Amino acid sequence: MTSPASLTDASTAFAELKRRLNLISDLGAAQGLMSWDQETQMPPDAARVRGLQMAGLAGLSHQLFTADETRALLEAAEREDAPGEVEADLLRVVRRDFDKATRLPTAFVEEMSRARNEAHHAWIKARTDNDFAHFAPYLQRVLDLTRQYAELSGYAEHPYDALLDDYEPGMKTAQVRRIFADLRERTLPLLRAIVAAGDATDYGVLSRPFPASAQRDFALKVAGEAFGLRPAFSRLDESAHPFQTNFSADDLRITTRFDEHYFPMSLFGTWHEAGHAMYEHGVSRELERTPLSRGASLGVHESQSRMFENLLGRSRAFWQRYFEEFAQAAPDVAAGQDAENLYRAVNRVQPSLIRVEADEVTYNFHIMLRFELELALLEGTLSVEELPSAWNARMQEYLGVTPPNDAEGVLQDIHWSSGLIGYFPTYSLGNLLSVQLLEAARREPQVAGGLERADYTPLREWLRQQVHQYGRRRTPDQLVQAATGAPLSADAYVKYLHEKYADIYQLG
Amino acid sequence: MTSPASLTDASTAFAELKRRLNLISDLGAAQGLMSWDQETQMPPDAARVRGLQMAGLAGLSHQLFTADETRALLEAAEREDAPGEVEADLLRVVRRDFDKATRLPTAFVEEMSRARNEAHHAWIKARTDNDFAHFAPYLQRVLDLTRQYAELSGYAEHPYDALLDDYEPGMKTAQVRRIFADLRERTLPLLRAIVAAGDATDYGVLSRPFPASAQRDFALKVAGEAFGLRPAFSRLDESAHPFQTNFSADDLRITTRFDEHYFPMSLFGTWHEAGHAMYEHGVSRELERTPLSRGASLGVHESQSRMFENLLGRSRAFWQRYFEEFAQAAPDVAAGQDAENLYRAVNRVQPSLIRVEADEVTYNFHIMLRFELELALLEGTLSVEELPSAWNARMQEYLGVTPPNDAEGVLQDIHWSSGLIGYFPTYSLGNLLSVQLLEAARREPQVAGGLERADYTPLREWLRQQVHQYGRRRTPDQLVQAATGAPLSADAYVKYLHEKYADIYQLG
């Protein structure tokens, strides 16, 4: 039994801990704003000092979080006998984050940060010059440090578990292997059948002129009307690499880029980021300014963006509903077209070299390839030197294409240069989860009815109830099990792909 | 003699103190960015949490600065026998700021912050409803706390000295009284002569249509070409109340507002803010991320903005140089006009009710009135209840106009509601200093030659050398004495007004 005195102590400690977490959250918002500003607003000469300022705030934030006072407050707060549900969830997540943050020696964190920074600059040069050899020693260094990171962080079965866990808490390497093997086995035949079937569609429509400002207006109109992203709590800017960030649940910032001769980039890009934004918008205000006020994982986050972008934005019902408005916004594109033509055009399946341009059927092969190569590098069965040829061989095996150079092959993504190893799988896990969630939501008649009319209000309400509101209170596993009644698998996604593309490509 | 060991201690302490000051500066930059973002970019629903976040960072910043560790580091660093010049200046300014910040009990600071916040909201309502009585008790509370603030802060002669010192370090009430009395005595006859002379100019030209985007382009073109404000290190946005802020010397943000039927607002407003911005841009990079990397005082700051806005932007040479470009940007305005017409139009002298719309001749009377009323309130010779009638009586005395209501009278400015008592005089001190500096600069033949051609590059270089580069290293007094060879006085300004307006109004 706990005496009243220690009860008071624990709850006082909790209140004090929460104040500290609020401040750390405020510092996080400031860093996020500095970063958003840097990508979208900042004058170029400001970059040098901005870098110092962001590093200063990051250091202060880390120092506040890993301080002895935080440890003492956390330990005292954990002595609470009967914490409230949110309180218990907060303590669990903070304990997890605190242990992760304090397991690494400061000198190691600094070395890793330096190595990543150098590798990032080497990668930019290597990609520009199409010169993998220039990047190789830097990647080797990142890889060595990543192995050390896994050892310092600890893991039960596989060092890759420690990496995965940063992006997809609780997910194990073995589980990803099983899911990906299943996915590969059941979708590679589909891809081959599509390729074999040939394609007489006229895709010229996708490159017809559509002025950037009109693209922007249409993308935002749909983001608001269909997906609920309102100007009252969000904004859209341009940036070189599209992203979503937010500084509170009512301060959502998304970015996109415009190509006046390829409108799908800005349209589907905006709706993708709108999916991320609406997740953060749906987090309970009760969790505000705490570490719980974020998405549960990158995979769960990606399930929301992919749902808006692909499952809804690339659905037949969507184009039936929005074709007329599209035609008003883009008369040059829509001339002589109808909803069905557009639906077909934006769902083209075509094996290609670049991940970020890949369609729904081929996308996951880009991810599997990266996952397999990361594992082989980490396990030491593949050397950095062998990486380009291993990449090219797998591209040929899965997609039947071979990069003409490394810039369009192994050097295309920023991730490895930034030390983001273990991150790629979350893209595919998000794809799979998007369909698994949508199928679960569809069991509600209101949601199913809405989907047929491209009215997504009931779906959004379901997502808010089942996923968004919890923030980080539930782990991805818990969320998926509770929302869909089953653990994550490839089943729903495989079924979705087969049905959608057998129809589009009239496969037998 | 100091032993080598304590020398090391002092310099180690200085380095550690500087790291702490860098972090506090980074936090300041983050707060500044949050505030700029709030005024120019932020979606409206974000306001509530943004307020909490800004308060969080402000508290953290104050806590870091006033901490016992800061005191210990400062004391240790001050033991350095032979500090470098910049080091000595930094220690002097930090000591000044630290003593000011720690002289006030935390409870008092919090009470003041609450009172100001409440008064601010009461003022908004009072101004909207034209109801001074609603504001009176809140202003009384602010005034009582301001008296306490002066006592806690300490002063030698007059409690108002303690207030002034926050905005104009080292400036004394007696000095302001003397300067203002002199100014009043020597410019009131000029104003009366101008009013008596009558004015046949057609000011309709000022309200001719000039589209906002074209105003923006022209304002920015001149800001760049004439005043040196380049997009590489600055940007211009719209906001309800124009301001300048910056997050480093190469990250300058100015704002303005546009009236398509009154172009002087955006043009002179932009150039005014450009003057503030170019001051911060000229601060030595050596002072970056320290408390020295700011302007010396509000008055010195205002001297820079007023110089660009009025002494240059409203000069005959300027309009001769830029009339053609203006005519291209604003053909509807320029039709049938010439440089001289425009020069005359933008220099209209007209006693009016609103300070921020006042011309060069009448502006300082608005300030003197406020200064005199602040003193009377603080000394207790005027009650808050009597304030509106005292305001109106002085408006009549100085400017010959009487506000039809308090919204256009005593309630027009935000300052008192925000506890900014002692701030107003810096506007006029800045006006006086702007001319005193320009006359000193003109002694350089290159500067004088440039002024005749509206080529301000030599002037800007002189300002950088004499004023900008020092940041807060020199006090306003030191700067003015070194740059102009004399202490601040009304002499130059009085001479300037007489010469300029005797010419414009053809006074005998």
Side-chain angles (χ1 to χ4, degrees):
Chain A
M1 287 298 294
T2 308
S3 75
S6 72
L7 265 175
T8 311
D9 286 348
S11 73
T12 306
F14 181 78
E16 185 56 37
L17 176 68
K18 206 169 162 195
R19 268 195 294 277
R20 180 169 276 248
L21 295 170
N22 289 159
L23 275 185
I24 292 168
S25 162
D26 296 340
L27 280 170
Q31 293 170 67
L33 179 60
M34 282 190 160
S35 173
W36 171 83
D37 180 75
Q38 178 166 258
E39 301 301 323
T40 63
Q41 314 289 339
M42 193 180 79
D45 289 2
R48 185 182 57 79
V49 177
R50 177 61 59 88
L52 298 174
Q53 290 166 336
M54 290 173 69
L57 291 200
L60 181 58
S61 182
H62 180 79
Q63 191 186 319
L64 272 177
F65 185 58
T66 59
D68 290 339
E69 293 94 314
T70 308
R71 184 191 303 276
L73 290 170
L74 181 55
E75 283 172 1
E78 284 170 338
R79 280 185 216 114
E80 174 74 63
D81 260 359
E85 277 186 32
V86 175
E87 187 174 331
D89 290 338
L90 181 59
L91 288 174
R92 184 175 41 72
V93 168
V94 172
R95 167 56 68 188
R96 173 193 141 89
D97 293 351
F98 183 82
D99 289 346
K100 280 208 166 212
T102 53
R103 217 167 271 150
L104 306 173
T106 308
F108 178 79
V109 173
E110 287 169 2
E111 192 182 352
M112 195 123 188
S113 169
R114 265 196 307 279
R116 286 172 174 191
N117 190 44
E118 287 166 18
H120 180 66
H121 285 95
W123 168 74
I124 290 171
K125 182 169 163 47
R127 197 176 62 157
T128 307
D129 302 348
N130 187 30
D131 178 10
F132 180 80
H134 175 72
F135 180 49
Y138 296 92
L139 178 57
Q140 184 66 56
R141 181 93 195 101
V142 166
L143 193 63
D144 292 344
L145 287 166
T146 300
R147 280 203 199 92
Q148 285 182 49
Y149 176 85
E151 295 307 321
L152 287 164
S153 299
Y155 54 86
E157 289 177 21
H158 195 289
Y160 196 84
D161 289 349
L163 312 181
L164 256 183
D165 191 69
D166 286 348
Y167 312 109
E168 204 60 32
M171 179 63 70
K172 300 296 177 220
T173 311
Q175 200 180 346
V176 177
R177 274 199 220 261
R178 273 197 307 276
I179 292 172
F180 280 9
D182 185 37
L183 181 65
R184 185 169 51 240
E185 194 177 312
R186 293 160 74 189
T187 58
L188 204 47
L190 173 67
L191 174 59
R192 289 184 175 147
I194 291 170
V195 172
D199 191 347
T201 310
D202 171 18
Y203 293 103
V205 66
L206 300 180
S207 48
R208 291 187 188 170
F210 190 168
S213 67
Q215 287 187 36
R216 183 188 153 86
D217 290 347
F218 181 71
L220 271 182
K221 184 177 191 305
V222 171
E225 200 176 300
F227 303 134
L229 188 79
R230 308 281 175 193
F233 52 81
S234 68
R235 50 179 290 147
L236 171 67
D237 294 87
E238 279 190 71
S239 69
H241 302 281
F243 64 91
Q244 183 270 149
T245 186
N246 65 85
F247 320 124
S248 72
D250 291 305
D251 194 353
L252 312 161
R253 316 276 173 115
I254 67 173
T255 73
T256 193
R257 32 182 192 181
F258 297 97
D259 180 339
E260 300 205 328
H261 290 280
Y262 190 67
F263 70 84
M265 188 164 72
S266 77
L267 260 48
F268 296 105
T270 299
W271 303 335
H272 177 100
E273 303 306 338
H276 284 304
M278 290 305 291
Y279 186 177
E280 302 277 339
H281 184 59
V283 173
S284 166
R285 297 303 181 273
E286 195 182 4
L287 311 181
E288 183 173 288
R289 295 174 76 218
T290 77
L292 298 182
S293 70
R294 290 280 152 196
S297 73
L298 293 188
V300 179
H301 237 299
E302 193 74 2
S303 76
Q304 302 305 294
S305 56
R306 287 304 207 172
M307 193 182 293
F308 284 16
E309 175 193 1
N310 286 339
L311 311 192
L312 310 182
R314 283 188 164 94
S315 70
R316 183 175 272 131
F318 176 91
W319 283 96
Q320 285 168 347
R321 162 73 185 78
Y322 284 101
F323 178 76
E324 264 189 46
E325 290 181 41
F326 176 84
Q328 280 167 24
D332 292 345
V333 181
Q337 302 286 315
D338 61 19
E340 187 65 18
N341 295 142
L342 260 296
Y343 168 65
R344 288 291 311 271
V346 300
N347 281 293
R348 178 185 208 173
V349 175
Q350 189 186 36
S352 66
L353 298 172
I354 306 297
R355 175 183 62 85
V356 297
E357 294 166 6
D359 57 78
E360 288 182 289
V361 179
T362 58
Y363 187 92
N364 294 316
F365 292 102
H366 290 270
I367 297 303
M368 290 181 218
L369 171 161
R370 285 158 177 77
F371 172 64
E372 290 158 13
L373 296 178
E374 286 183 344
L375 280 181
L377 285 170
L378 203 67
E379 291 168 353
T381 55
L382 178 72
S383 72
V384 166
E385 283 64 35
E386 294 163 334
L387 188 57
S389 58
W391 179 288
N392 294 350
R394 268 199 177 66
M395 281 299 284
Q396 188 58 46
E397 181 190 343
Y398 290 154
L399 297 174
V401 293
T402 298
N405 56 58
D406 290 336
E408 292 172 81
V410 68
L411 289 172
Q412 71 184 259
D413 288 313
I414 193 179
H415 300 63
W416 292 340
S417 83
S418 301
L420 299 174
I421 299 175
Y423 184 119
F424 280 121
T426 67
Y427 290 118
S428 280
L429 298 174
N431 284 335
L432 305 190
L433 181 55
S434 69
V435 182
Q436 188 166 331
L437 284 170
L438 189 67
E439 292 314 308
R442 203 193 289 277
R443 286 177 221 140
E444 299 283 337
Q446 275 209 309
V447 173
L451 289 171
E452 281 170 27
R453 304 185 304 275
D455 168 7
Y456 305 124
T457 311
L459 172 64
R460 290 209 316 272
E461 182 54 28
W462 187 91
L463 289 169
R464 204 175 63 73
Q465 289 300 329
Q466 296 292 330
V467 180
H468 300 177
Q469 63 161 320
Y470 295 106
R472 289 177 72 199
R473 289 186 60 191
R474 295 185 170 180
T475 64
D477 267 3
Q478 289 170 335
L479 274 175
V480 175
Q481 184 70 47
T484 73
L488 181 65
S489 82
D491 290 350
Y493 197 76
V494 168
K495 183 158 172 284
Y496 162 79
L497 282 190
H498 275 89
E499 286 178 5
K500 179 171 179 176
Y501 291 95
D503 168 57
I504 291 179
Y505 284 91
Q506 301 177 306
L507 306 176
Chain B
M1 286 297 294
T2 309
S3 74
S6 73
L7 266 175
T8 311
D9 285 349
S11 74
T12 306
F14 181 79
E16 184 57 38
L17 177 67
K18 204 166 163 197
R19 269 195 294 278
R20 181 170 277 249
L21 295 171
N22 288 158
L23 275 186
I24 293 167
S25 162
D26 296 341
L27 280 170
Q31 292 167 250
L33 179 60
M34 282 190 160
S35 174
W36 171 83
D37 181 75
Q38 179 167 259
E39 301 301 323
T40 63
Q41 314 288 340
M42 193 180 78
D45 289 2
R48 186 183 55 81
V49 177
R50 177 61 60 88
L52 298 174
Q53 290 166 336
M54 290 173 69
L57 291 200
L60 182 57
S61 183
H62 180 78
Q63 191 186 320
L64 271 177
F65 185 57
T66 58
D68 290 339
E69 293 95 315
T70 307
R71 184 191 302 276
L73 289 170
L74 181 56
E75 283 172 1
E78 284 170 338
R79 280 183 217 116
E80 174 74 64
D81 261 359
E85 278 187 30
V86 175
E87 188 173 330
D89 291 338
L90 181 60
L91 288 175
R92 184 175 41 73
V93 167
V94 172
R95 167 56 68 190
R96 172 192 142 87
D97 292 352
F98 183 82
D99 288 346
K100 280 209 166 212
T102 52
R103 217 167 271 149
L104 307 172
T106 307
F108 179 78
V109 173
E110 286 169 3
E111 193 183 351
M112 193 122 189
S113 168
R114 263 195 309 278
R116 286 172 174 192
N117 190 45
E118 287 166 17
H120 180 66
H121 285 95
W123 168 74
I124 290 171
K125 184 169 162 43
R127 198 176 60 157
T128 307
D129 301 349
N130 186 30
D131 178 9
F132 180 80
H134 176 72
F135 180 48
Y138 296 94
L139 178 58
Q140 184 65 57
R141 180 93 196 101
V142 166
L143 192 64
D144 292 344
L145 287 167
T146 299
R147 280 203 201 94
Q148 285 183 50
Y149 176 85
E151 296 305 323
L152 288 164
S153 299
Y155 55 86
E157 290 177 22
H158 195 289
Y160 196 84
D161 289 349
L163 312 181
L164 255 184
D165 190 70
D166 285 350
Y167 311 110
E168 204 60 33
M171 179 63 70
K172 301 294 178 223
T173 311
Q175 199 180 346
V176 178
R177 275 198 219 260
R178 273 197 307 275
I179 292 172
F180 280 10
D182 185 38
L183 181 65
R184 187 170 48 239
E185 194 177 313
R186 293 161 73 191
T187 57
L188 205 45
L190 173 68
L191 174 57
R192 291 188 173 143
I194 291 170
V195 172
D199 191 346
T201 310
D202 171 18
Y203 293 103
V205 64
L206 300 180
S207 48
R208 290 188 189 169
F210 189 170
S213 68
Q215 286 187 37
R216 183 188 153 85
D217 290 347
F218 180 71
L220 271 181
K221 185 177 191 301
V222 171
E225 201 175 300
F227 303 134
L229 188 79
R230 309 280 175 193
F233 51 82
S234 68
R235 52 178 290 146
L236 171 67
D237 294 88
E238 278 190 70
S239 68
H241 303 281
F243 64 91
Q244 184 269 149
T245 185
N246 67 85
F247 320 125
S248 72
D250 291 305
D251 194 353
L252 311 162
R253 316 275 173 114
I254 66 173
T255 72
T256 194
R257 30 181 194 180
F258 298 97
D259 180 339
E260 301 205 327
H261 291 280
Y262 190 68
F263 69 84
M265 187 164 71
S266 78
L267 260 48
F268 295 105
T270 299
W271 303 334
H272 178 99
E273 304 306 338
H276 284 304
M278 290 305 292
Y279 186 178
E280 302 277 339
H281 183 59
V283 174
S284 166
R285 298 303 182 273
E286 196 182 3
L287 311 181
E288 180 174 290
R289 296 173 76 217
T290 77
L292 298 182
S293 69
R294 290 280 153 197
S297 73
L298 292 188
V300 179
H301 237 299
E302 194 74 2
S303 76
Q304 302 305 294
S305 56
R306 287 304 206 173
M307 193 181 294
F308 284 17
E309 175 193 0
N310 286 340
L311 312 192
L312 309 183
R314 284 190 164 93
S315 70
R316 185 175 270 132
F318 177 91
W319 284 96
Q320 285 168 348
R321 163 73 185 80
Y322 285 102
F323 177 76
E324 265 190 44
E325 289 181 44
F326 177 83
Q328 281 168 23
D332 291 344
V333 181
Q337 302 287 315
D338 60 19
E340 187 65 18
N341 294 142
L342 258 297
Y343 168 65
R344 288 292 310 269
V346 300
N347 281 295
R348 178 185 207 172
V349 175
Q350 188 185 37
S352 66
L353 299 171
I354 306 297
R355 174 183 62 86
V356 298
E357 294 165 6
D359 56 79
E360 288 182 288
V361 179
T362 57
Y363 188 91
N364 294 317
F365 292 101
H366 290 270
I367 297 303
M368 290 180 219
L369 171 161
R370 286 159 177 76
F371 172 65
E372 291 157 13
L373 296 178
E374 285 183 346
L375 280 182
L377 285 170
L378 202 67
E379 292 168 353
T381 56
L382 178 73
S383 73
V384 165
E385 283 63 34
E386 295 162 336
L387 187 57
S389 57
W391 178 288
N392 294 350
R394 269 200 175 65
M395 281 298 284
Q396 188 58 47
E397 180 189 345
Y398 291 154
L399 297 174
V401 292
T402 298
N405 55 59
D406 290 335
E408 291 171 83
V410 68
L411 288 172
Q412 71 184 262
D413 289 313
I414 193 177
H415 301 63
W416 292 341
S417 83
S418 301
L420 299 174
I421 298 174
Y423 184 119
F424 280 121
T426 67
Y427 290 118
S428 281
L429 298 174
N431 284 337
L432 305 190
L433 181 55
S434 68
V435 182
Q436 189 167 331
L437 283 170
L438 189 67
E439 292 315 307
R442 204 194 289 276
R443 287 176 220 142
E444 298 284 336
Q446 275 209 310
V447 173
L451 289 172
E452 283 170 26
R453 303 185 304 277
D455 168 7
Y456 306 123
T457 311
L459 172 65
R460 289 208 318 272
E461 182 54 28
W462 187 90
L463 289 169
R464 205 176 64 74
Q465 289 300 329
Q466 296 292 329
V467 180
H468 301 177
Q469 63 160 323
Y470 295 106
R472 289 178 71 200
R473 288 186 61 193
R474 295 186 170 180
T475 64
D477 267 4
Q478 290 170 334
L479 275 175
V480 175
Q481 184 70 46
T484 73
L488 180 65
S489 81
D491 292 349
Y493 197 75
V494 168
K495 183 158 173 284
Y496 161 79
L497 282 191
H498 275 89
E499 287 177 3
K500 179 170 178 176
Y501 290 95
D503 169 58
I504 291 179
Y505 284 91
Q506 301 175 306
L507 306 177

